[in-house]
Amino acid sequence: MTSSAARIGVVTFPGSLDDRDAARAVRLVGASAVPLWHGSHDLEGVDAVILPGGFSYGDYLRAGAIASLSPIMAEVVDAANRGVPVLGICNGFQMLTEAHLLPGGLIRNDHGNFICRDQRLRVENTSTAWTNAFPDSAEITIPLKNGEGGFIASADVISSLEDSGRIVFRYLEVNPNGSMNDIAGVTNARGNVVGLMPHPEHAVEPGFGPDTRDAMRSGTDGLPLFASALASLLAAA
Amino acid sequence: MPTIVVEVMPKAELLDPQGKAVAGALARLGRSQINSVRVGKRFEIEVDGPADDAILAEVAALADEVLANLVIEDVISVHFAGADGFGFDAAEDFATGNVTSDTSFDAAAASGATSDETEQQLDDEISEGLA
């Protein structure tokens, strides 16, 4: 398989905001981005799926809850269980927990405010389908923007996630939303499904990313997530 | 047409930022006797057919699967609303067994899961986080 033959689908739900950004990130690493629609049962044969950020269904009921019952989510759950790489960003992460593809849940930020900042993270697990291009314990800065990003789970679930290395991203410096154990992102047992609250797709192109020491808006720390997916697809082919 | 009422609350042991914000607003109005507020949800669901245990059980199952996320919330009660479909008599519902309830909520509340110390710690962590 060549890079451009790797097809990564990005699902658009009513209220998705970052679907175009995610598709752009996919193209920037050389893969093909395939737009998918929430109301369809057709994954169009894609090799990986991204559930983008936004406010699907206005966060009615619970963030991600109604989207997790969309027709396409039945196919996403099937694909995830077959080992297809699935990434949920922000609202997409909320959908993955609501669909029980990932453990735990996301609740309103403990301080009650929406937060938007460039957030420092540590990549704690570099063996997932979405993080294999990072060096071990890489520290990255990507934007975070959410109102309901507090990760919670029962004490048993938290300790089993810790023990099995399933915490993929952890907040550094500050805990921006009250997440237990500073958890910013987790994976499933197989390592093909990853969800995180911060937005890697907003840090993929110089001029549009977070500030770095070198230059304003030059941060591209989100790019390796998309490169990782491409690498795992090419390795599997 | 019978109406089934489903009540859902955030888990007692979790901080409820929404309730905390409301409590803060009430305190600013000088309602100093109000200690805390927790905010939950009430669903009023109209159903066809007889108001029997079967439909109540069906809605209770849906409440666990969809209306509430049991990772972060508890279903407090599932019961028929009063005949007018609006008001309901909780005492009567309980007396007639017109209720299915998740008692884990009461158990958690009785054990005093959110202590003052925990609240204070959370306050400290929040102010650190925002600093």
Side-chain angles (χ1 to χ4, degrees), chain A residues 61-62 65 69 97-98 100 103-113 115 152-154 174-176 180, chain B residues 8 11 14-18 20-21 41 43 65-69 71-73 122 125-126 128-131:
Chain A
L61 190 59
R62 294 175 304 277
L69 303 171
T97 63
E98 285 285 344
H100 306 298
L106 283 311
I107 62 168
R108 206 174 290 251
N109 296 346
D110 58 359
H111 44 75
N113 296 319
I115 193 156
I152 64 157
S154 68
V174 294
N175 181 333
M180 287 179 166
Chain B
V8 173
K11 278 191 183 293
L14 297 173
L15 180 69
D16 172 18
Q18 193 175 192
K20 210 171 166 189
K41 289 178 194 149
F43 300 84
E65 284 168 27
V66 178
L67 302 182
N69 176 350
V71 176
I72 57 178
E73 298 167 316
L122 285 166
E125 282 167 22
I126 292 162
E128 273 172 33
L130 292 177

Side-chain angles (χ1 to χ4, degrees), chain B residues 51-103:
Chain B
D52 56 14
D53 285 349
I55 188 69
L56 206 55
E58 198 175 323
V59 171
L62 283 175
D64 283 354
E65 284 168 27
V66 178
L67 302 182
N69 176 350
L70 299 184
V71 176
I72 57 178
E73 298 167 316
D74 288 322
V75 178
I76 300 306
S77 77
V78 180
H79 57 256
F80 287 108
D84 62 3
F86 175 68
F88 67 98
D89 183 342
E92 170 69 10
D93 283 334
F94 276 98
T96 57
N98 204 9
V99 175
T100 59
S101 61
D102 180 346
T103 54

